[in-house]
Amino acid sequence: MTDSAAPAAASTGQMIEGSAIPRFTRGHRLQHDKVRNLWLVQAPEKAFVADPVAASVLQRIDGARSLDAIIDDLASTYDAPRPAIAADVQAMLSGLMAKKVIAI
């Protein structure tokens, strides 16, 4: 994600269990801005622009899919090594959990 919402490599360091089901916290949602062709994480009185990689991950957070299912889908969609995808998704979600945008 761009701006201050970008998860730092040294995020919380909290590992999320693969069976965990991530969801947006109350008041946060992902929305596509058709005019600007951007994905935004919106909350009362704030919005974060999600870069294309973050948007791809966040679009899969539906409150029903497990973290493992999201990572498997991303690895399959992008024909990328699962361990690399898992590390990136873990770092991003840990950062968003620290900002209280995502919960499990």
Side-chain angles (χ1 to χ4, degrees):
M1 297 181 68
T2 60
D3 198 25
S4 63
S11 59
T12 62
Q14 175 183 359
M15 287 297 293
I16 305 166
E17 292 290 324
S19 61
I21 298 175
R23 62 176 171 74
F24 287 94
T25 57
R26 183 181 168 127
H28 290 87
R29 63 189 168 103
L30 182 67
Q31 182 172 335
H32 187 249
D33 181 335
K34 293 176 186 171
V35 173
R36 295 175 192 89
N37 195 28
L38 296 172
W39 284 95
L40 304 168
V41 175
Q42 293 188 319
E45 303 197 24
K46 66 180 174 180
F48 305 104
V49 177
D51 67 29
V53 174
S56 184
V57 174
L58 296 172
Q59 289 171 23
R60 289 166 170 78
I61 295 176
D62 58 9
R65 286 191 237 190
S66 70
L67 178 59
D68 279 341
I70 291 168
I71 292 168
D72 289 342
D73 186 27
L74 288 165
S76 174
T77 299
Y78 295 104
D79 193 27
R82 191 182 189 287
I85 296 283
D88 291 346
V89 171
Q90 283 276 350
M92 187 184 95
L93 293 184
S94 291
L96 291 173
M97 287 175 63
K99 292 175 175 55
K100 301 192 185 324
V101 173
I102 299 291
I104 56 171

